[in-house]
Amino acid sequence: MDVKRRSILGTSLAVVVAMGLSACGGGGDEDSSASKTVRVTLANHVWTENIKQALPEFEKKTGLKVEITQLGEDQLSDQYNVKLNAGSGDIDVMMYRPLQEGKLFAKNKYLADLSDQVKSNKDWDFSDFQAGPVEATSYKDKPVGVPIITEQEVLYYRKDLLAKAGLSAPPKTLDELKAASAKIKASTPGVAGFVARTGKSPAVTQFSSFLYSFGGDFVDGSGKAAVNSDAAKQAYAYYGGLIKDSGPANVSTDMSWPEAMAIFTQGKAAFYTEADSLYKNATDPAKSKVADKVGFAPFPAGPAGSKPYNIPSWALGINDASKNKSNAWKFIEWATSKEQTLTQQKAGVPGARTSVWANPEGTATYPKDLVETIAASTKEGVGHDRPLVVKVPEAREIVGQPIVDAIAGKDPAAAADTANDAFQKFLDDEAK
């Protein structure tokens, strides 16, 4: 799991919320043992807190009762590993991470196929969801989840440092980013031109947008390892070289987002590529010394254009072993409706619905330039930010090694060749 996602999860706890009426409602369950109580397991997250506040509305409307088990991320994974592997049906709706465990869950048939459900209500409108997040919540072209929280990689920058350097606009290409970063570092003592994640595993997700923008990916069209393609080698060399040459002095190779963000918010860097979902860390005066000087721009274009990731960090799915699928879907349909997505987005939780981003109410609480940046990012966004495999942590360690080597000044091409051999072996083993 990416550390950035963990940051927005609270202290681990388990609570059961049982509110509303248990009078008749729902109906149409596929099993006679279906319950009027929908058992929902959610992560500690602001999305969860918001949905809990709105539960009485759902329960009054449907006559169903919702029991929420709310857990910290590690406890959530532990519960899923135990209960889903045992075929337990006492979870109906599950909040999960599509890019971290989605393929594992779908391959093991833990997630129900939602093909019929997503077509059942035209007003709910599945076509309203962005393509990248839908891709990430599908398995073998069938929807197995509905995205609830999204993020894209964008360029954070210091307006004052750009003006001081005589730059009238943020860089639009990776070549311009490299030149601007070098110029600012050379002319502004104690300030790095660029900062980003450097840790072997944490950097993979943010490196992905560089990889795509150079025209590469983690695997090729036939599913073979591709981290030593010409495009990938260029991306590794660029990312590592940018941090090595224009990054903070004596930069470590174990930074995740909190360390990189701290450098930026303490006024020690001009440019920073990171998930848009973390923007309040940079714009909140209580957290950032440069809150009033931060701007946002689309991810700079490489040889293949601007190709940032556009992914769902969390989604809702139905446990395939549940005997209460019909009512479970009613909860998901409500929780991911246009109305609930708008309410969540107004509270600072970015959703996956195109119509909500097009609604001025849905963007009123966001910086104007960030809204414009997100709009640009979702058009060409790629629906994954890490290898799409079952054993994601192991894969990230492999494909992240050339990042560390490049930052350390080692030959990124040789490192990519070594990583590709290891990654192909990993893929072969996983396919057995």
Side-chain angles (χ1 to χ4, degrees):
M1 171 65 188
D2 229 349
V3 179
K4 71 183 178 190
R5 280 122 165 136
R6 180 172 298 170
S7 70
I8 52 178
L9 303 178
T11 304
S12 299
L13 70 144
V15 298
V16 174
V17 179
M19 302 158 56
L21 303 174
S22 57
C24 62
D29 289 300
E30 67 288 331
D31 193 296
S32 60
S33 62
S35 170
K36 293 282 193 290
T37 298
V38 183
R39 295 158 300 182
V40 181
T41 300
L42 304 176
N44 287 342
H45 193 287
V46 64
W47 184 93
T48 298
E49 299 306 321
N50 292 338
I51 214 71
K52 282 161 58 179
Q53 292 179 24
L55 272 180
E57 167 199 324
F58 171 76
E59 294 181 321
K60 182 177 181 181
K61 179 179 179 181
T62 63
L64 298 171
K65 183 168 67 174
V66 178
E67 289 184 358
I68 291 182
T69 299
Q70 182 177 340
L71 300 167
E73 180 186 321
D74 291 340
Q75 288 73 24
L76 189 75
S77 295
D78 290 343
Q79 180 168 118
Y80 287 160
N81 288 337
V82 172
K83 292 193 172 184
L84 299 178
N85 192 49
S88 173
D90 63 1
I91 297 174
D92 298 319
V93 177
M94 45 199 284
M95 183 175 176
Y96 74 102
R97 302 163 295 179
L99 294 171
Q100 193 69 12
E101 56 213 4
K103 186 172 183 179
L104 171 66
F105 286 2
K107 184 178 181 180
N108 288 349
K109 300 185 178 1
Y110 297 158
L111 292 169
D113 178 0
L114 302 179
S115 297
D116 291 337
Q117 287 88 337
V118 299
K119 298 173 185 175
S120 63
N121 186 342
K122 291 184 179 180
D123 291 333
W124 179 76
D125 191 8
F126 191 49
S127 68
D128 189 35
F129 288 83
Q130 298 165 2
V134 168
E135 174 191 333
T137 51
S138 299
Y139 181 67
K140 294 184 177 180
D141 298 324
K142 294 181 179 180
V144 293
V146 179
I148 54 174
I149 304 160
T150 62
E151 55 189 46
Q152 301 82 29
E153 186 167 4
V154 302
L155 180 67
Y156 293 59
Y157 70 93
R158 285 274 301 282
K159 298 176 183 178
D160 56 326
L161 293 178
L162 263 67
K164 184 178 178 182
L167 301 171
S168 59
K172 292 182 172 57
T173 68
L174 291 175
D175 286 342
E176 290 178 3
L177 175 61
K178 184 176 182 180
S181 297
K183 182 176 183 179
I184 291 175
K185 181 168 184 178
S187 63
T188 313
V191 175
F194 177 80
V195 70
R197 303 183 195 191
T198 62
K200 182 164 51 176
S201 178
V204 168
T205 56
Q206 310 314 302
F207 166 74
S208 69
S209 297
F210 291 84
L211 178 61
Y212 308 148
S213 297
F214 270 96
D217 206 330
F218 298 106
V219 300
D220 62 20
S222 64
K224 297 292 186 181
V227 293
N228 72 338
S229 67
D230 289 343
K233 287 180 177 179
Q234 292 175 45
Y236 280 125
Y238 179 93
Y239 188 89
L242 187 59
I243 293 173
K244 177 178 176 290
D245 297 335
S246 296
N250 303 313
V251 65
S252 68
T253 53
D254 61 358
M255 291 197 303
S256 188
W257 82 262
E259 295 81 15
M261 179 68 80
I263 290 172
F264 184 76
T265 57
Q266 291 300 305
K268 301 298 183 181
F271 297 106
Y272 174 37
T273 50
E274 186 55 83
D276 60 338
S277 58
L278 297 172
Y279 82 92
K280 285 188 177 180
N281 290 276
T283 59
D284 183 349
K287 299 179 180 180
S288 174
K289 291 183 178 180
V290 293
D292 60 342
K293 300 177 177 66
V294 175
F296 302 94
F299 190 86
S306 174
K307 301 284 185 181
Y309 63 69
N310 177 30
I311 58 133
S313 52
W314 291 94
L316 295 179
I318 295 177
N319 176 14
D320 197 46
S322 167
K323 296 186 182 301
N324 200 16
K325 291 188 180 73
S326 179
N327 287 332
W329 175 250
K330 288 175 183 175
F331 175 84
I332 292 180
E333 190 176 50
W334 167 76
T336 61
S337 66
K338 294 175 184 178
E339 293 76 16
Q340 281 302 316
T341 302
L342 176 61
T343 298
Q344 290 275 3
Q345 196 155 300
K346 287 166 68 174
V349 181
R353 283 188 174 275
T354 301
S355 63
V356 173
W357 281 107
N359 185 340
E361 283 189 69
T363 59
T365 61
Y366 294 76
K368 182 180 178 182
D369 57 347
L370 180 58
V371 172
E372 294 169 351
T373 292
I374 291 172
S377 301
T378 56
K379 291 179 181 178
E380 299 294 332
V382 178
H384 59 283
D385 64 353
R386 66 201 76 184
L388 293 173
V389 296
V390 172
K391 297 179 180 178
V392 177
E394 291 92 332
R396 288 174 68 160
E397 288 288 313
I398 295 170
V399 302
Q401 185 61 50
I403 298 172
V404 174
D405 290 343
I407 295 170
K410 298 178 181 179
D411 182 3
D417 285 334
T418 300
N420 199 74
D421 290 341
F423 190 39
Q424 185 58 55
K425 183 179 184 304
F426 169 90
L427 293 173
D428 292 341
D429 290 343
E430 194 165 277
K432 292 178 180 177

